[in-house]
Amino acid sequence: MGTILRDMRHVQWHELRHAQGSASQIPGMLSRIAWGDSESAEDALSDLGQWIGALAVFDATVAAVPFLWELAAMDTVKDRAGVLGLLGTILAHGHAHHPEWTRGAHLAVLAGLPTAERLAGDGDPAVSAAAGELLTALGGHTCGTCPPH
């Protein structure tokens, strides 16, 4: 593994959960998004979205968000706009029984504000538009579990 996603090995993924169970498959999904062909990356991003953000957030979501920000910032990633969309989805969802997961996931997305600001000026119109939408969501984010920002 190169410099992108190198810190994934420090996460105890098998101890974390996502919507379908053990999060041990998440590093593989993130790697497919980083290095896979367009179809493989799209499939991985879709699966990952269902696992960590579409219905609720999980402790695996909290761990995955910094890697999603890495992927969004890398020009070689095939669907950076989709990655930014997933970050927006995560920001819009929570977990009713685990407010600490909600807070952790939202704060991890909010921590990427400088990256979103930079990507809003990206030369790829899809990335620029997705970053703009995410910036709007970041600026307007309020929820009962997050501290005011």
Side-chain angles (χ1 to χ4, degrees), residues 17-111:
R17 308 287 297 164
H18 61 62
Q20 301 298 316
S22 170
S24 60
Q25 316 93 327
I26 288 180
M29 291 292 145
L30 292 168
S31 293
R32 284 177 49 205
I33 294 165
W35 296 291
D37 61 35
S38 294
E39 184 178 341
S40 177
E42 183 180 313
D43 289 345
L45 186 59
S46 175
D47 288 346
L48 192 61
Q50 293 300 312
W51 291 352
I52 68 168
L55 301 175
V57 299
F58 299 86
D59 56 354
T61 310
V62 178
V65 166
F67 301 110
L68 291 171
W69 277 118
E70 274 190 62
L71 294 172
M74 295 300 300
D75 290 339
T76 56
V77 170
K78 306 283 188 285
D79 190 3
R80 295 185 300 141
V83 173
L84 291 166
L86 176 53
L87 288 163
T89 297
I90 291 167
L91 189 64
H93 290 93
H95 195 292
H97 301 293
H98 292 279
E100 70 280 8
W101 294 350
T102 301
R103 184 174 37 262
H106 291 181
L107 292 176
V109 174
L110 290 163

Side-chain angles (χ1 to χ4, degrees), residues 87-89 91-92 109-110 130-142 149:
L87 288 163
T89 297
L91 189 64
V109 174
L110 290 163
E133 290 176 23
L134 185 53
L135 281 171
T136 299
L138 291 167
H141 177 71
T142 58
H149 61 279

Side-chain angles (χ1 to χ4, degrees), residues 1-9 27 31 35:
M1 220 175 286
T3 57
I4 185 174
L5 303 179
R6 75 172 181 264
D7 291 333
M8 279 195 314
R9 68 180 183 269
S31 293
W35 296 291

